Amino acid sequence: MRDRNLIQIGMMEVRFLIDEDQSSESLVMFEFVVPYQSRVPAAHFHSDVDEVIYGLSGTMTTTVDGERCEVRPGDTIFIPRGVVHTHENLHHETARALITMTPGLIGRRFFEEIASAINVVGKPDIEHVKEIMLLYGLVPA
């Protein structure tokens, strides 16, 4: 049986705990799983959404406004809207983090559309990926 809450984007996983359907767009919360050296989202900022990252396991490297931060279990980073950031896993252990975004404007629908654009045979159409990002208020840096 397929887990409706799980979205696979390349090697990464997004497992929704609270999505826009459950929270009336007040917030979105998901587990973000990033295996070692998997392709991750390009540097971007959110025009209307604040993001909080809480490390669960492994170590995720999050670059915020040009500063690299190692997010380990129990670490928290707040990324205000408008601040450029990206996530990657430079360590051999799979990184897991809890992500909360408020308001919940970037939810399941965004990640489903991105998965459809990324999980293709051959190279993804990067211009199409950028269009999806912009539609949901993610601005490539």
Side-chain angles (χ1 to χ4, degrees):
M1 186 167 114
R2 183 177 173 271
D3 180 353
R4 173 177 137 59
N5 293 323
L6 176 66
I7 299 172
Q8 188 85 34
I9 306 170
M11 293 172 47
M12 297 180 304
E13 294 180 0
V14 174
R15 183 179 309 275
F16 280 90
L17 305 170
I18 300 173
D19 65 24
E20 67 272 27
D21 296 333
Q22 298 166 310
S23 70
S24 300
E25 296 185 354
S26 59
L27 68 89
V28 166
M29 181 184 291
F30 56 89
E31 180 184 13
F32 186 42
V33 180
V34 184
Y36 173 58
Q37 292 188 334
S38 58
R39 293 186 63 171
V40 295
H44 64 280
F45 67 87
H46 308 158
S47 55
D48 300 310
V49 173
D50 296 323
E51 181 173 350
V52 176
I53 303 161
Y54 177 78
L56 297 173
S57 65
T59 303
M60 184 162 29
T61 302
T62 297
T63 302
V64 180
D65 203 18
E67 182 180 336
R68 273 191 168 172
C69 305
E70 298 291 329
V71 182
R72 294 178 177 86
D75 292 345
T76 303
I77 294 179
F78 173 70
I79 305 170
R81 63 193 75 188
V83 174
V84 174
H85 61 283
T86 190
H87 312 288
E88 57 191 327
N89 182 354
L90 304 175
H91 306 275
H92 291 281
E93 182 182 353
T94 295
R96 296 176 186 276
L98 182 66
I99 308 286
T100 303
M101 292 194 272
T102 185
L105 303 174
I106 305 168
R108 180 187 316 275
R109 289 178 204 97
F110 166 74
F111 288 101
E112 288 172 341
E113 288 186 41
I114 286 293
S116 292
I118 295 292
N119 299 339
V120 296
V121 175
K123 292 182 97 173
D125 179 348
I126 298 304
E127 291 307 311
H128 180 58
V129 170
K130 288 179 183 177
E131 290 170 7
I132 296 168
M133 291 174 69
L134 290 168
L135 184 64
Y136 287 88
L138 284 84
V139 180

